[in-house]
Amino acid sequence: MMRPYGEDLKVYLCREPVDMRKARNGLAALAQEAMKLDPFSGALMVFVGRRFNAVKILYWHRYANRVIMG
C-alpha cells in the first residue's frame, strides 16, 4: 500500500459534490478544469459524493507513474 507523506504534502477538497461513477481519469479532468489544479502535482485531491456518503481520493504516485484513486 502506498501512503503519501511529508511535511510539504498538500490536501485539496473539492467543495462541490461529484458523481461517484467517475473513474480516475474523470476526476483528474475535474481537478484540472474545475479546481485549477495539476493532478500530477503529488497533492491529495479529495472528492465527496452527491449524498455526502462517499469519498474518493486522487493522488499521483511518481514512482508508480500512475494516478491512484482510493
Side-chain angles (χ1 to χ4, degrees):
M1 178 178 197
M2 294 177 253
R3 295 182 186 194
Y5 61 90
E7 293 179 10
D8 58 344
L9 179 67
K10 295 181 182 178
V11 179
Y12 297 98
L13 175 65
C14 182
R15 296 187 293 180
E16 296 294 320
V18 299
D19 185 2
M20 285 288 116
R21 294 177 291 180
K22 289 186 185 277
R24 61 181 170 225
N25 291 338
L27 292 176
L30 183 66
Q32 282 181 327
E33 295 169 9
M35 298 172 66
K36 306 291 187 224
L37 296 172
D38 180 16
F40 305 108
S41 66
L44 293 175
M45 287 158 239
V46 181
F47 302 91
V48 294
R50 292 186 182 174
R51 289 183 268 161
F52 298 101
N53 63 349
V55 173
K56 285 190 177 181
I57 301 172
L58 199 66
Y59 173 67
W60 168 256
H61 192 272
R62 63 182 167 189
Y63 298 117
N65 289 327
R66 68 180 80 169
V67 175
I68 300 169
M69 184 175 64

